[in-house]
Amino acid sequence: MERELVGGKAWVTRQEMRDAIAVSQSLPGPLAIQVGIFIAYMRGGFWGAWAGGWAFILPNFGIVAALGALYVYFGGLNWMTAIFYGVSPAVIALILHSCWRLAKLGMEDWPQWVVAAVCFVVTIWLEAEVAVLFIGAGILGILYYGSLFRGGFPSTGLFAAAAAPVAIDTKEPTAGILSSLLAFFLKAGSLTFGSGLVIVPFLEKGLVQQYGWLNGREFLVAVAVGMLSPGPVVITATFVGYLVAGFWGSLVSTIGIFLPSFILILAVAPIMVRHRANPNVQGFVKGAYAAAIGTILGACVLLGKIAIGDWLTVLIGLGSLAALFFVPRLSNPLLIAATAVIGLIAFPLLQPGWVYVK
C-alpha cells in the first residue's frame, strides 16, 4: 500500500500514510485492513471507507471459502503443508522488508528507536503483542513531542483517540451455531491488537480448547490457509467458519472478525483527520508508530520460530530477503509462487518432521 498509494498513485501523502498506520496499530483488529479502511476514508469519506474496506476483504473471502469447500470435499489437502513449508520463510522476508520500508517512512529520531526496541523485546518476551504498549508509547510521544509542557493544551480529540483502543466487550448451519460463530469472531476482532500473528493463540484457545469446533491438525491447516492467502492472516476466520458450518458459517465468521475494524476506524478517523495538526496528536502518532515498528519485528521473530527449522528454509528466507532488496521490481506474488514450487518439490524429498511438531 505504501508503494502504490504514496509513491505510485499519490492518493495519500507520507504523513497521511504514517498517521493511518499508527492509529490502526493502536486499535484492536487486523492492521492491514484497518490501514486500508482509514486510507479509503481519507479518499472517499464514510461510504468510501465501507467500499474500500470490503473490496479489500471480498477477494480473500472468495479464495479462502473456496479452499474451505475443497478441503471439506476432499477430506484434506496434503499438498498444502508442502506449500506452507516453502512459502513461510518468504513471508518472514516480506515482513522484514516491509518493516524496513515503514521505518524509512516514519522513524525520525532516537526516542522513536528506543520505544521500538522496548516493544520489540517485550513482544518476544511475552510472545504476544500487548495493547498497553501502543497506548503507553503514544502517551510518551505526547510528553516528548507534544505541547503539554510548552504552554499548550491537549486536544479533546486526542483523548478520544487515546481512549478508543480500549476493547469493547461441518455442522449443520443452525441459528445457534451461526450466532456462536458470529459472537466469537466479533470478540476476536475487538480484543486482538496488531498483526495477524497475535490472534492465533486466541483462536486456538477458543476453537480447539473451549468450543471444540476444530482439532489441532485442522486448526494448523486453517492458520496455513490464512498465511498463504493474499489477505491478512485473520482471514483464517473464513476457513474456520466453513469447516464449522459451511458457506454461511464462513460468511458470518468473516463479518464478525472484520466488522469491529470498520466501527473503530470510522469512530477515530474523523477525529484524527480534524486534529492532525495538533502537536499532541502528532506526538501520539509518532510514539504509537515506533511501537508498531518494534512489535512487528518482534512478531516476525515469533513467526520465524514456526516458519524456519532447517537449512532449506534458512536459504529460502535469506534468498527471498536478498531478492526483495536487490531486485526492486520483484513482484510479491511471483516470489510467493516461486517459493511455493520449491516447497512442493522439496517437502516430499526432505520430509521435515519439525513442520508437524511446530
Side-chain angles (χ1 to χ4, degrees):
M1 283 190 285
E2 182 270 333
R3 184 180 65 239
E4 293 292 328
L5 300 183
V6 177
K9 299 180 182 298
W11 281 0
V12 293
T13 65
R14 291 169 62 90
Q15 181 62 43
E16 288 172 334
M17 184 72 184
R18 185 169 63 178
D19 291 349
I21 294 169
V23 173
S24 299
Q25 186 75 61
S26 302
L27 298 172
L31 177 62
I33 287 292
Q34 289 179 318
V35 172
I37 296 170
F38 199 151
I39 291 173
Y41 173 81
M42 289 190 289
R43 183 73 177 171
F46 178 85
W47 294 113
W50 287 99
W54 286 112
F56 199 161
I57 295 166
L58 286 175
N60 308 304
F61 170 78
I63 292 169
V64 176
L67 285 173
L70 290 172
Y71 186 89
V72 170
Y73 182 79
F74 290 109
L77 298 174
N78 294 328
W79 49 265
M80 195 175 293
T81 302
I83 292 177
F84 179 66
Y85 172 72
V87 166
S88 296
V91 171
I92 301 299
L94 284 166
I95 296 172
L96 285 172
H97 185 254
S98 298
C99 201
W100 175 74
R101 293 179 64 93
L102 291 173
K104 288 206 311 179
L105 181 69
M107 299 294 282
E108 300 176 351
D109 51 26
W110 68 266
Q112 285 186 292
W113 284 110
V114 170
V115 170
V118 171
C119 293
F120 172 76
V121 172
V122 172
T123 300
I124 296 175
W125 180 37
L126 298 179
E127 298 189 352
E129 295 177 11
V130 183
V132 71
L133 286 178
F134 303 113
I135 309 304
I139 293 173
L140 287 175
I142 296 171
L143 296 176
Y144 186 80
Y145 300 104
S147 61
L148 287 181
F149 297 114
R150 301 174 188 174
F153 294 93
S155 163
T156 56
L158 170 64
F159 290 113
V166 178
I168 303 171
D169 286 333
T170 281
K171 301 175 182 178
E172 290 297 321
T174 63
I177 291 177
L178 293 178
S179 61
S180 296
L181 278 170
L182 180 63
F184 175 77
F185 283 109
L186 280 170
K187 182 179 179 181
S190 301
L191 298 180
T192 51
F193 283 72
S195 69
L197 176 65
V198 74
I199 205 173
V200 172
F202 182 91
L203 294 182
E204 192 275 337
K205 181 178 180 181
L207 297 173
V208 179
Q209 300 178 31
Q210 183 178 354
Y211 290 99
W213 285 333
L214 303 180
N215 59 39
R217 180 178 180 276
E218 290 171 336
F219 178 74
L220 289 176
V221 171
V223 174
V225 171
M227 292 187 65
L228 292 174
S229 75
V233 176
V234 295
I235 201 68
T236 293
T238 301
F239 191 84
V240 169
Y242 200 100
L243 296 188
V244 175
F247 173 79
W248 294 111
S250 68
L251 183 61
V252 299
S253 298
T254 304
I255 292 172
I257 200 70
F258 290 118
L259 185 59
S261 296
F262 284 89
I263 296 172
L264 288 167
I265 289 295
L266 289 173
V268 173
I271 297 169
M272 292 301 298
V273 170
R274 191 178 311 120
H275 298 281
R276 188 186 301 135
N278 183 283
N280 297 312
V281 172
Q282 292 180 347
F284 181 87
V285 166
K286 287 182 178 181
Y289 193 94
I293 296 295
T295 50
I296 291 172
L297 285 173
C300 189
V301 172
L302 298 177
L303 191 59
K305 295 179 181 179
I306 300 172
I308 299 175
D310 57 21
W311 64 270
L312 181 57
T313 49
V314 170
L315 286 180
I316 293 173
L318 292 176
S320 299
L321 192 61
L324 288 165
F325 275 103
F326 295 108
V327 186
R329 297 183 181 274
L330 178 63
S331 165
N332 290 352
L334 179 62
L335 176 64
I336 293 297
T339 53
V341 171
I342 294 174
L344 285 170
I345 295 172
F347 189 84
L349 297 175
L350 299 178
Q351 298 184 352
W354 62 269
V355 172
Y356 299 102
V357 173
K358 293 185 180 183

